[in-house]
Amino acid sequence: MKVGDTHYRSIWYDTAKDAVQIIDQRWLPHDFRITALETLDDFATAIRDMWVRGAPLIGATAAYGIAREMRRDRSDAHLQTACDTLNATRPTAINLGWALGRCQTALKDVAEADRAKVALQLAQDICDEDVEMNRQIGLNGLQIIRDIAARKDGAPVNILTHCNAGWIATVDWGTATSPMYHAANANLPIHVWIDETRPRNQGALTAWELGAHGISHAYITDNAGGHLMQHGHVDLVITGTDRTTRAGDVCNKIGTYLKALAAHDNNVPFYVALPSPTIDWTVSDGLADIPIEARPASEVTHIQGTARNGQISEVRVTPEGTRGENPAFDVTPARLITGLVTERGITSATPEGLTALFPDLSQNGAL
Amino acid sequence: MKVGDTHYRSIWYDTAKDAVQIIDQRWLPHDFRITALETLDDFATAIRDMWVRGAPLIGATAAYGIAREMRRDRSDAHLQTACDTLNATRPTAINLGWALGRCQTALKDVAEADRAKVALQLAQDICDEDVEMNRQIGLNGLQIIRDIAARKDGAPVNILTHCNAGWIATVDWGTATSPMYHAANANLPIHVWIDETRPRNQGALTAWELGAHGISHAYITDNAGGHLMQHGHVDLVITGTDRTTRAGDVCNKIGTYLKALAAHDNNVPFYVALPSPTIDWTVSDGLADIPIEARPASEVTHIQGTARNGQISEVRVTPEGTRGENPAFDVTPARLITGLVTERGITSATPEGLTALFPDLSQNGAL
């Protein structure tokens, strides 16, 4: 999508510079910086410390990491090492393992001399496919917005979203935001309630994205959404997901479950937008079987922002020495989800629904 | 309770200085400062801008405000003006109107010459009664903790609380925290999950309180509680309330409703601790009839804390110019509440339960 007048992806291979470039999300929304990733350690650090984040984007980043490593050492042993290193960076999103598995499968029968070239092409393909899947998700989700708009007599459709499942969490378009961008392109009036999404305040990334595209929005605390739903100010919730079970449970940014409960209690439709690589066909019970990342407590006790002097600064909000705990994701049971918006269409959050939409993929993890 | 080695109330009349003193909560948990309130404008500003906060404490502060004003101008007209000014500072907590109504009733038949003295005594009485009610709430709530502890074989009872319904939200003891302090005094092992409570991060006040009393606790984002309940890490939720309807609906800090939904979904008992002045006997339907304060958006877009250099500083977390919305309270329907812990005992969140416990008071607002 556009930043100013320039179209960007969140990650790309710059042919002229012969370098993998990322929008460095450590500094957003306060500063727009581009960083080149070169070594395996660069790629691992970028994923682990969230210079890039979002399930689809960390998959794409891992694929580029393998492509770069195959220039340095094309051996089977190093392929394994590189995959293991990258796979260990973050545990929850399935896209990381999916992209790395795809790299290993694609490269194992390729002659070493060709591996760098094939791996780079694969990373590009993964990116292009992500963009196209997200575009399709947007078109499918647009229909939900259209249907609600038809009942609202010109008033904006109020959409609540949690975290940033935006274009910078993917390669482009985003998952949860793609229907919003398509609605804006179609001149459908929408207003987006953006959950702050503590810790790390990733709602500010969504505010940055939507602001750049002129989409009406308001930033609210994670506490506010239930109240807004009770009073009829939310027509629809759309979130992303980091891992979806074959039964339709959704593991997404911590706090998603609370919004799903509130939506359920107030008869507000709750949709989750996902490209199919986010489905873990080997897992049925999300609560029991998806590993939940525990991130540093400092993300809870300290907050980054722009100080009065314009500097990007960090403040401690707790008393000195307060212990924090920071589970980064939670699982929303399928029973609370109105539907899953995928690149192939919208389906119920059920094993039957997902299998019917993806008969080819669902055999991967047949239990 | 104690700060260091000194016992404090959150507000008091200092005879030697002839001044009303408050613990100035603008600076907590980062700095402990005491401020004197003198003029009507001081008292109104202290309540509106949250130098003092918490339903019981703002009631007590308003009573002291009337006492000070009656020294300056004892007329009926000024009594009315002072009450109107203070009552307009914050709309949601009923204790403010309750305390001011009590002042008006008590003073209306008192000779003007005696009004200052009577009003000061009334403010002191309101404070003393608050302390005693909260002490009793703690003893009643302690029994809930004891019962759970009896099933836990020595393991700590895990209690989740939202916002700060602590001793600095009251005159002393707190409402939700009073059972915790009593449990600590009784050497019952407890661990408290403290919701951050954005905006204003009032969980940091609770962390400051519990830390000072050596009670085990961890600071978590408002998003985390549902996940902790799903995994069995919460035995009990206790919150305060700013206004309770005669039907048992509870209006409390924004986000309370989401925790009540999660507790309900996971069979975790959800209790609300309240002194009887928090009950609005004139209101039955909390969602329809309790005014919800809309506070400044800057509380959402900006966050105060301690910077690296030790200064209390503020950072902006959103892109410049982002619009925020800041509803400060929400309503938890009675159906989600396990019980109400009052100074007279524990009752169901029902009209019958409340009326049976407070037959004398419930006639005040008979519909």
Side-chain angles (χ1 to χ4, degrees):
Chain A
M1 308 295 282
K2 288 200 168 179
V3 180
D5 290 330
T6 310
H7 182 271
Y8 283 90
R9 286 182 172 188
S10 59
I11 189 167
W12 67 97
Y13 173 67
D14 185 317
T15 320
K17 292 183 178 154
D18 186 24
V20 177
Q21 310 264 36
I22 59 164
I23 296 175
D24 191 335
Q25 302 190 32
R26 281 176 289 177
W27 314 109
L28 286 177
H30 308 287
D31 198 12
F32 182 76
R33 299 187 197 174
I34 290 166
T35 296
L37 302 182
E38 189 50 52
T39 66
L40 180 60
D41 189 54
D42 284 348
F43 281 90
T45 303
I47 297 172
R48 188 179 50 245
D49 294 351
M50 299 177 65
W51 310 2
V52 290
R53 17 74 50 203
L57 177 55
I58 66 180
T61 305
Y64 272 120
I66 296 300
R68 296 303 276 187
E69 281 309 294
M70 287 299 97
R71 290 159 52 127
R72 207 167 64 76
D73 178 346
R74 316 146 168 180
S75 68
D76 282 357
H78 189 63
L79 176 59
Q80 189 64 51
T81 302
C83 285
D84 290 348
T85 301
L86 292 169
N87 200 34
T89 51
R90 299 197 64 194
T92 299
I94 189 65
N95 306 57
L96 188 57
W98 168 85
L100 291 166
R102 193 163 155 190
C103 291
Q104 282 192 297
T105 304
L107 296 176
K108 73 176 190 308
D109 296 329
V110 171
E112 291 196 356
D114 296 329
R115 280 188 172 172
K117 203 178 93 186
V118 171
L120 180 60
Q121 186 57 52
L122 179 58
Q124 311 269 43
D125 290 349
I126 285 176
C127 286
D128 291 345
E129 290 166 20
D130 183 65
V131 174
E132 179 56 19
M133 284 190 286
N134 296 335
R135 195 180 70 82
Q136 292 293 345
I137 286 169
L139 292 170
N140 293 329
L142 175 60
Q143 195 53 49
I144 300 168
I145 299 175
R146 261 195 215 289
D147 291 348
I148 295 172
R151 302 194 300 266
K152 292 209 69 177
D153 204 19
V157 176
N158 292 302
I159 304 171
L160 185 142
T161 192
H162 189 70
C163 197
N164 172 264
W167 73 263
I168 56 171
T170 63
V171 180
D172 207 349
W173 286 106
T175 54
T177 56
S178 187
M180 301 175 199
Y181 290 127
H182 279 93
N185 290 348
N187 290 316
L188 278 176
I190 63 170
H191 173 77
V192 183
W193 298 109
I194 301 176
D195 275 2
E196 171 172 64
T197 319
R198 285 276 294 139
R200 298 187 73 102
N201 303 63
Q202 287 159 318
L205 302 176
T206 305
W208 177 80
E209 281 195 19
L210 298 188
H213 287 78
I215 295 175
S216 170
H217 63 279
Y219 189 80
I220 54 173
T221 65
D222 299 310
N223 286 321
H227 168 74
L228 294 174
M229 292 184 211
Q230 285 177 313
H231 289 274
H233 300 318
V234 180
D235 296 306
L236 168 68
V237 181
I238 312 181
T239 75
T241 164
D242 291 78
R243 193 185 299 213
T244 308
T245 71
R246 67 183 297 129
D249 297 339
V250 161
C251 183
N252 190 46
K253 178 56 47 69
I254 191 81
T256 302
Y257 165 55
L258 296 173
K259 292 301 139 59
L261 285 169
H264 188 74
D265 200 45
N266 293 284
N267 294 311
V268 172
F270 186 96
Y271 285 93
V272 178
L274 62 132
S276 56
T278 310
I279 305 167
D280 185 347
W281 297 101
T282 69
V283 166
S284 277
D285 182 340
L287 266 179
D289 294 332
I290 298 177
I292 301 294
E293 180 175 9
R295 291 193 58 84
S298 60
E299 294 185 348
V300 179
T301 56
H302 292 65
I303 294 179
Q304 176 177 285
T306 298
R308 289 244 171 96
N309 64 7
Q311 298 292 307
I312 299 179
S313 310
E314 196 175 76
V315 294
R316 170 171 50 76
V317 292
T318 49
E320 197 155 14
T322 296
R323 189 165 78 78
E325 291 218 7
N326 186 13
F329 300 91
D330 64 20
V331 172
T332 299
R335 65 184 151 88
L336 299 175
I337 298 168
T338 308
L340 303 173
V341 186
T342 78
E343 71 271 20
R344 292 196 193 163
I346 300 170
T347 184
S348 62
T350 59
E352 298 73 24
L354 279 169
T355 304
L357 209 54
F358 298 99
D360 45 338
L361 304 180
S362 60
Q363 295 169 23
N364 296 347
L367 298 177
Chain B
M1 307 295 282
K2 288 200 169 178
V3 180
D5 290 331
T6 309
H7 182 271
Y8 283 90
R9 285 183 173 188
S10 59
I11 189 167
W12 67 98
Y13 174 67
D14 185 316
T15 320
K17 292 182 178 157
D18 186 24
V20 176
Q21 310 264 38
I22 59 164
I23 296 175
D24 191 335
Q25 301 190 32
R26 281 175 290 177
W27 313 108
L28 287 177
H30 307 286
D31 197 12
F32 181 77
R33 300 187 196 173
I34 291 166
T35 296
L37 303 182
E38 189 51 50
T39 67
L40 181 59
D41 189 55
D42 284 350
F43 281 90
T45 303
I47 297 171
R48 188 179 49 244
D49 294 350
M50 299 177 65
W51 310 3
V52 291
R53 18 73 50 204
L57 177 54
I58 66 180
T61 305
Y64 272 121
I66 296 301
R68 295 304 275 187
E69 281 308 293
M70 288 298 97
R71 288 158 53 126
R72 207 166 63 75
D73 177 347
R74 317 143 167 182
S75 68
D76 282 357
H78 189 64
L79 175 59
Q80 189 64 49
T81 302
C83 284
D84 290 348
T85 301
L86 292 169
N87 201 34
T89 50
R90 298 196 67 194
T92 299
I94 189 66
N95 307 58
L96 188 57
W98 168 86
L100 291 166
R102 193 162 155 190
C103 290
Q104 282 191 297
T105 304
L107 296 176
K108 74 176 191 302
D109 296 329
V110 170
E112 291 196 356
D114 296 329
R115 280 188 173 175
K117 203 179 93 186
V118 170
L120 180 60
Q121 187 57 53
L122 180 57
Q124 311 267 43
D125 289 349
I126 285 175
C127 287
D128 291 346
E129 291 166 20
D130 183 66
V131 174
E132 179 56 19
M133 283 190 287
N134 296 335
R135 196 180 70 82
Q136 292 293 345
I137 286 169
L139 292 170
N140 293 329
L142 174 60
Q143 195 52 50
I144 300 168
I145 299 174
R146 262 195 214 291
D147 290 348
I148 296 171
R151 302 193 299 267
K152 292 210 69 176
D153 205 20
V157 175
N158 292 303
I159 304 171
L160 185 141
T161 191
H162 190 70
C163 197
N164 172 264
W167 73 264
I168 56 170
T170 64
V171 179
D172 208 350
W173 285 105
T175 54
T177 55
S178 187
M180 302 175 199
Y181 290 126
H182 279 93
N185 291 347
N187 290 317
L188 278 177
I190 63 171
H191 173 77
V192 182
W193 298 109
I194 301 176
D195 274 1
E196 171 172 64
T197 319
R198 285 275 295 140
R200 298 188 74 102
N201 303 62
Q202 288 159 318
L205 302 175
T206 305
W208 178 80
E209 281 196 20
L210 298 188
H213 287 77
I215 295 176
S216 170
H217 62 279
Y219 190 79
I220 54 173
T221 66
D222 299 309
N223 286 321
H227 168 74
L228 294 174
M229 292 183 210
Q230 285 177 314
H231 290 273
H233 300 317
V234 180
D235 296 307
L236 169 68
V237 181
I238 312 181
T239 75
T241 164
D242 290 78
R243 193 184 302 212
T244 308
T245 71
R246 66 184 296 130
D249 296 339
V250 161
C251 184
N252 190 46
K253 178 54 46 68
I254 191 79
T256 302
Y257 166 55
L258 296 172
K259 292 301 138 58
L261 285 169
H264 188 75
D265 199 46
N266 292 285
N267 294 311
V268 172
F270 186 96
Y271 285 94
V272 178
L274 62 133
S276 56
T278 310
I279 305 168
D280 185 347
W281 296 100
T282 69
V283 166
S284 276
D285 182 340
L287 265 180
D289 295 332
I290 298 178
I292 301 294
E293 180 175 9
R295 292 193 57 83
S298 59
E299 294 185 348
V300 179
T301 55
H302 292 65
I303 295 178
Q304 177 177 284
T306 298
R308 289 243 170 97
N309 64 8
Q311 297 294 307
I312 299 178
S313 311
E314 196 175 75
V315 294
R316 171 173 48 78
V317 293
T318 48
E320 197 155 14
T322 296
R323 190 165 77 78
E325 290 217 9
N326 187 11
F329 301 91
D330 64 20
V331 172
T332 298
R335 65 183 151 88
L336 299 174
I337 298 168
T338 308
L340 302 173
V341 186
T342 78
E343 72 270 22
R344 291 197 193 162
I346 300 170
T347 184
S348 62
T350 59
E352 299 74 24
L354 278 169
T355 304
L357 209 54
F358 298 100
D360 46 338
L361 303 180
S362 60
Q363 294 169 24
N364 296 346
L367 298 178

